[in-house]
Amino acid sequence: MARPRQFDTDASVDQAMHLFWKRGYHTTQIPRLTELLGVGTGSLYSAFGSKDGLYARALQHYCDGLLTTFDRAVRAGPDIRAAMRGLLLAMVDADAADPERGCLMVNAVIERPAHDGTVEQVRAAMTAVESVLREALERAAVHGELHGDRSPAELARFFTTFVQGIHVVGQSRMDGAFLESAVAVALQALD
């Protein structure tokens, strides 16, 4: 009979996600991961196959959380403009609170641009974000909240790209007024 795992893989993925997010893939060594997770190297490899396997799970965990956040945020406001404003300003605030972290998806694709698995994961997550935004914008169009000549699909693609720009600019430690001004201009796309 196989021995039961001595650690919670979901909790381990969450802990590893935070470590990879803070330190990056290449700087995070196996001994640091096993110390953080409180497991031996064999248990780590048994559960995740490799450091790369753990990283892929951690990145997916981040992406899933991001999609949940986006979905909740676009439903939170009284209208799409208020919801998008709240979402974008929350991102600005989060980046200002911890500018070194940035976005794990941005960090991943910058650190591992030649790793097909990482690039595909980020691409899939960006497509999913775009889809969440498009659906919200389509609902807004049905309710008469969009007045310009841009389609919900075009607006969703713009905001998906803009969100990643917020993260990159946030990591450069631009002051909050700079990003808040950019958000105000971006929201004009909804007019």
Side-chain angles (χ1 to χ4, degrees), residues 95-106:
D95 286 345
D98 194 356
E100 291 180 18
R101 263 180 123 169
C103 170
L104 183 57
M105 289 190 327
V106 171

Side-chain angles (χ1 to χ4, degrees), residues 28-93:
T28 302
Q29 301 300 319
I30 293 291
R32 179 67 183 107
L33 283 165
T34 57
E35 176 187 336
L36 173 73
L37 303 179
V39 298
T41 304
S43 294
L44 183 109
Y45 281 97
S46 175
F48 304 107
S50 64
K51 175 182 164 183
D52 194 61
L54 176 56
Y55 184 77
R57 290 268 307 269
L59 182 57
Q60 190 61 51
H61 178 61
Y62 176 88
C63 294
D64 292 344
L66 184 70
L67 285 172
T68 299
T69 298
F70 269 68
D71 191 52
R72 284 184 187 145
V74 295
R75 297 172 189 275
D79 58 44
I80 193 64
R81 186 179 178 83
M84 289 299 295
R85 184 177 190 281
L87 171 66
L88 297 174
L89 291 178
M91 296 175 87
V92 167
D93 291 344

